[in-house]
Amino acid sequence: MSDEATGKSGKMWLYVVGILVSLPLFYGLSTGPMVVLAARKILPEPVLSVYAPLDWFTEMTGSDELIETYVGACLKLTGTSVP
Protein backbone atom coordinates (compact mmCIF):
# COMPACT_ATOMS: atom_id res chain seq x y z
CA MET A 1 0.00 0.00 0.00
CA SER A 2 2.86 2.38 0.70
CA ASP A 3 4.21 1.80 -2.83
CA GLU A 4 0.94 3.02 -4.33
CA ALA A 5 0.95 6.16 -2.19
CA THR A 6 4.57 6.86 -3.07
CA GLY A 7 3.91 6.37 -6.77
CA LYS A 8 1.03 8.83 -6.81
CA SER A 9 2.80 11.47 -4.76
CA GLY A 10 6.01 10.90 -6.68
CA LYS A 11 4.31 11.98 -9.91
CA MET A 12 2.76 15.05 -8.33
CA TRP A 13 5.98 17.04 -8.72
CA LEU A 14 5.79 16.51 -12.48
CA TYR A 15 2.40 18.22 -12.56
CA VAL A 16 3.64 21.09 -10.42
CA VAL A 17 6.71 21.62 -12.63
CA GLY A 18 4.56 21.40 -15.75
CA ILE A 19 2.19 24.06 -14.46
CA LEU A 20 5.02 26.32 -13.32
CA VAL A 21 6.64 26.12 -16.76
CA SER A 22 3.38 26.39 -18.72
CA LEU A 23 1.89 29.46 -17.06
CA PRO A 24 4.64 31.95 -18.00
CA LEU A 25 4.79 30.44 -21.47
CA PHE A 26 1.05 30.87 -22.06
CA TYR A 27 1.21 34.36 -20.53
CA GLY A 28 3.84 35.42 -23.04
CA LEU A 29 2.17 33.74 -26.00
CA SER A 30 -1.20 35.30 -25.21
CA THR A 31 0.23 38.78 -25.84
CA GLY A 32 -0.32 38.64 -29.60
CA PRO A 33 -3.98 37.57 -29.54
CA MET A 34 -4.78 40.10 -26.81
CA VAL A 35 -3.28 42.94 -28.85
CA VAL A 36 -5.33 41.79 -31.85
CA LEU A 37 -8.52 41.76 -29.77
CA ALA A 38 -7.75 45.20 -28.36
CA ALA A 39 -6.96 46.61 -31.83
CA ARG A 40 -10.29 45.30 -33.12
CA LYS A 41 -12.04 46.96 -30.16
CA ILE A 42 -13.34 43.62 -28.87
CA LEU A 43 -11.52 44.19 -25.60
CA PRO A 44 -10.89 47.57 -24.02
CA GLU A 45 -7.32 48.90 -24.24
CA PRO A 46 -6.85 48.96 -20.42
CA VAL A 47 -6.91 45.15 -20.49
CA LEU A 48 -3.43 45.33 -22.00
CA SER A 49 -2.14 46.74 -18.70
CA VAL A 50 -2.09 43.11 -17.55
CA TYR A 51 0.95 42.75 -19.82
CA ALA A 52 2.92 45.60 -18.21
CA PRO A 53 5.21 43.16 -16.33
CA LEU A 54 6.02 41.43 -19.62
CA ASP A 55 6.83 44.80 -21.18
CA TRP A 56 9.15 45.59 -18.28
CA PHE A 57 10.79 42.15 -18.52
CA THR A 58 11.45 42.42 -22.25
CA GLU A 59 12.97 45.87 -21.87
CA MET A 60 15.27 44.67 -19.10
CA THR A 61 16.40 41.58 -21.01
CA GLY A 62 16.63 43.26 -24.41
CA SER A 63 14.09 40.93 -25.99
CA ASP A 64 11.55 43.63 -26.81
CA GLU A 65 12.19 43.23 -30.55
CA LEU A 66 11.20 39.58 -30.29
CA ILE A 67 7.83 40.43 -28.72
CA GLU A 68 7.26 43.24 -31.24
CA THR A 69 7.94 40.81 -34.08
CA TYR A 70 5.55 38.24 -32.58
CA VAL A 71 2.78 40.80 -32.07
CA GLY A 72 3.36 42.15 -35.58
CA ALA A 73 3.06 38.63 -36.99
CA CYS A 74 -0.21 38.10 -35.10
CA LEU A 75 -1.57 41.37 -36.44
CA LYS A 76 -0.50 40.52 -39.98
CA LEU A 77 -1.89 36.98 -39.88
CA THR A 78 -5.28 38.21 -38.73
CA GLY A 79 -5.32 41.17 -41.11
CA THR A 80 -5.69 43.63 -38.27
CA SER A 81 -4.37 47.14 -38.71
CA VAL A 82 -3.28 49.25 -35.79
CA PRO A 83 -4.52 52.84 -35.92
Side-chain angles (χ1 to χ4, degrees):
M1 187 175 259
S2 64
D3 290 337
E4 291 176 11
T6 306
K8 290 181 182 180
S9 65
K11 292 182 182 180
M12 182 60 116
W13 71 272
L14 288 174
Y15 295 117
V16 172
V17 169
I19 289 171
L20 291 176
V21 169
S22 299
L23 286 177
L25 181 67
F26 288 134
Y27 174 68
L29 290 176
S30 69
T31 305
M34 291 297 279
V35 169
V36 169
L37 292 174
R40 290 184 173 192
K41 307 268 190 253
I42 296 172
L43 292 176
E45 293 261 343
V47 171
L48 294 178
S49 65
V50 171
Y51 293 96
L54 185 62
D55 188 37
W56 173 82
F57 177 77
T58 57
E59 286 178 11
M60 293 305 234
T61 59
S63 60
D64 51 344
E65 289 181 15
L66 179 66
I67 294 293
E68 289 174 9
T69 303
Y70 172 66
V71 169
C74 288
L75 289 168
K76 188 174 183 178
L77 284 172
T78 59
T80 305
S81 62
V82 179

